[in-house]
Amino acid sequence: MKLNKETLCVQSGWTPKKGESRILPIYQSTTFKYDTSAQMADLFDLKADGYFYTRLQNPTNDAVAAKIAALEGGVAAMLTSSGQAANFYAIFNICEAGDHFVSSSAIYGGTYNLFSVTMKKLGIEVTFIDPDASEEEIDKAFRPNTKALFGETISNPTCHVTDIRKFADIAHKHGVPFIIDNTFATPVLCRPFEFGADIVTHSTTKYMDGHAMTVGGCIVDSGRFDWSAHADKFPGMTEPDPSYHGLAYSKAFGEKGYIVKATAQLMRDLGSIQAPMNSFLLNIGLETLALRMPKHCENAIKIAQFLSSHPKVAWVNYAGLEKDPYHALAKKQFDGDLPCGVMAFGIKGGREESIKFMDSLKLIAIVTHVADARSCVLHPASHTHRQLSDEQLLEAGIRPDLIRLSVGIENADDLIADLTQAFEKI
Ligand SMILES: *Cc1c(COP(=O)(O)O)cnc(C)c1O
């Protein structure tokens, strides 16, 4: 039976059998018992399916991963301890020293740093491209050793919207998968697989959790990228793995090969598993995701309209606004035509006025976090990106006056009243 997203949010992932817990239980256990040594050996050989050690897999985590996979329309998923771990694993699963990948420059600052600094130390090179560049220009970034293209559905913090179909087509032309971070849109508003993306990542810390309780991440595979058609590029997927008894992931596990490899190799060796307690809390957040996202959008469009007509506001980036350059793309890619509850805007007068404005807010809090039930703001130039000069900020696509506003699920009139009184202070 094909279920709709509201039903999947509540019912998918955990399907209790007779007499079992109605609610997803927390398997608060590092390990799992077997009757014979041979049973355990089969698990280690990946011949049998089952749990043996929570660093690799845990039933609570797997139920939550299955729910996210169902929401995205993927074939398999894996939870990670954070969104950073999800993006690292997603790339590292198919890239090694000497390899290269291409990424949109409109991405989360933490991901930018992971790609440009830390992965470089591992011998993996990245080329950043302007996501609005022409196909011909983006083509030029690809090399014979390029293994993936990466982007964000809605970029944090600039709120740029990626044309998923365009990116997927470019990636496929070069024989590599398109990996997309769908954190801000969530599968409730956008399912990148429907537009040709191959692998989706999430920081579940944001809307999926929705209550700012737990840091977590997830990787979902569409199962559609044909690794064996590009076997020369992806020997790790198609050739026998000596660290797993000569098993070839794409052959042995078919469309689930990518996630099995990420679990069997990367989780085994790097161990960034999500704690079952956290995935239990994440699951509670997911149950209301389909209710919350439309409310975030409904509030956000009201506030974006309020800001864009305010005399003290210099500019607003929110693709829900008709005049926004990404409005047509938002209508094409997002259910309900609106892109999440996050927007970016600038105040006339720049940096100083922005800080004064933020300090005057009463309901809307200054926090590093984004995308949860409570409205909040951040000024990247004086917070997350404070080590950068104004010039470097502009290079990263972040204007010094940019305020990231994450609109929660409160009453929009109360939020507008808070913004109004803060504008009166500047
Ligand atoms: C927050 C965020 C991340 C990093 O996630 P953590 O859970 O904080 O590690 C990655 N991508 C995007 C788009 C984010 O907003």
Side-chain angles (χ1 to χ4, degrees):
M1 185 163 52
K2 195 182 172 305
L3 299 173
N4 291 295
K5 58 193 171 187
E6 294 82 357
T7 311
L8 292 174
C9 278
V10 182
Q11 297 261 5
S12 64
W14 172 247
T15 317
K17 296 183 206 71
K18 180 169 168 269
E20 279 185 344
S21 164
R22 180 67 192 92
I23 299 305
L24 170 65
I26 310 172
Y27 283 83
Q28 193 65 47
S29 179
T30 58
T31 196
F32 301 85
K33 180 199 167 276
Y34 289 92
D35 294 332
T36 68
S37 164
Q39 286 171 350
M40 186 86 111
D42 282 348
L43 295 178
F44 273 98
D45 284 351
L46 301 181
K47 275 186 198 148
D49 223 5
Y51 297 96
F52 50 111
Y53 192 57
T54 287
R55 169 153 39 78
L56 282 104
Q57 276 183 297
N58 172 283
T60 309
N61 290 2
D62 281 2
V64 181
K67 178 177 281 187
I68 298 173
L71 282 165
E72 287 287 6
V75 297
M78 178 176 89
L79 293 190
T80 57
S81 56
S82 67
Q84 286 299 107
N87 283 327
F88 175 60
Y89 279 38
I91 301 276
F92 199 55
N93 204 27
I94 49 171
C95 276
E96 59 185 43
D99 286 343
H100 168 259
F101 66 102
V102 178
S103 172
S104 164
S105 58
I107 55 170
Y108 174 64
T111 312
Y112 194 94
N113 206 67
L114 166 70
F115 289 175
S116 59
V117 179
T118 299
M119 294 196 73
K120 198 172 167 199
K121 288 182 190 163
L122 298 173
I124 299 167
E125 260 196 275
V126 63
T127 301
F128 291 107
I129 46 108
D130 172 356
D132 294 328
S134 68
E135 189 170 332
E136 292 70 39
E137 273 175 85
I138 298 175
D139 279 342
K140 284 186 208 145
F142 284 79
R143 308 174 186 169
N145 62 341
T146 302
K147 301 296 166 77
L149 176 62
F150 183 93
E152 263 171 34
T153 310
I154 303 165
S155 69
N156 178 3
T158 54
C159 297
H160 166 279
V161 180
T162 294
D163 186 336
I164 303 172
R165 176 62 66 190
K166 169 180 138 184
F167 267 57
D169 287 349
I170 293 172
H172 297 158
K173 182 167 69 179
H174 294 277
V176 303
F178 175 39
I179 303 173
I180 185 156
D181 181 331
N182 197 33
T183 297
F184 270 14
T186 83
V188 167
L189 301 180
C190 176
R191 288 157 308 280
F193 297 154
E194 291 174 3
F195 302 95
D198 301 287
I199 292 153
V200 159
T201 61
H202 282 282
S203 164
T204 61
T205 317
K206 315 294 164 56
Y207 286 121
M208 282 193 171
D209 169 299
H211 304 77
M213 294 184 293
T214 60
V215 172
C218 186
I219 308 175
V220 190
D221 185 14
S222 67
R224 284 202 304 249
F225 190 80
D226 189 351
W227 306 102
S228 48
H230 307 283
D232 56 319
K233 277 192 201 292
F234 303 105
M237 285 297 304
T238 59
E239 280 173 23
D241 174 7
S243 82
Y244 251 112
H245 324 288
L247 203 122
Y249 293 97
S250 64
K251 264 190 219 114
F253 300 101
E255 60 179 15
K256 294 191 174 161
Y258 173 87
I259 292 292
V260 174
K261 179 176 182 289
T263 305
Q265 280 182 344
L266 301 185
M267 248 343 149
R268 178 194 61 185
D269 296 350
L270 300 170
S272 320
I273 197 77
Q274 186 159 143
M277 179 76 207
N278 281 4
S279 63
F280 171 82
L281 292 170
L282 168 59
N283 187 53
I284 297 174
L286 286 167
E287 289 190 0
T288 57
L289 187 67
L291 272 182
R292 289 185 282 111
M293 292 314 293
K295 178 66 179 171
H296 281 290
C297 292
E298 181 195 316
N299 281 354
I301 187 68
K302 281 185 195 160
I303 288 171
Q305 280 160 352
F306 163 79
L307 289 175
S308 61
S309 63
H310 198 284
K312 288 181 181 168
V313 172
W315 55 273
V316 182
N317 282 1
Y318 185 67
L321 293 171
E322 258 167 54
K323 62 176 186 209
D324 192 272
Y326 304 110
H327 186 64
L329 204 49
K331 283 179 98 164
K332 187 176 126 193
Q333 291 182 170
F334 302 133
D335 291 8
D337 301 349
L338 297 176
C340 80
V342 186
M343 66 194 68
F345 71 101
I347 287 182
K348 287 178 188 160
R351 215 185 253 253
E352 262 83 83
E353 291 296 317
S354 300
I355 292 170
K356 206 157 135 204
F357 169 78
M358 286 176 52
D359 288 349
S360 308
L361 290 165
K362 294 190 167 114
L363 265 181
I364 303 171
I366 302 172
V367 298
T368 311
H369 193 55
V370 61
D372 76 83
R374 274 159 290 264
S375 294
C376 58
V377 282
L378 178 90
H379 183 228
S382 43
H383 303 140
T384 48
H385 296 64
R386 66 177 290 117
Q387 74 281 8
L388 303 187
S389 66
D390 280 7
E391 226 168 69
Q392 287 172 312
L393 277 171
L394 289 173
E395 249 172 56
I398 295 165
R399 304 190 209 189
D401 62 346
L402 184 150
I403 294 176
R404 183 185 70 189
L405 171 60
S406 174
V407 178
I409 56 175
E410 303 95 333
N411 182 296
D413 294 340
D414 293 339
L415 299 174
I416 288 173
D418 192 25
L419 295 165
T420 302
Q421 66 79 25
F423 278 124
E424 280 162 8
K425 307 269 161 56
I426 60 170

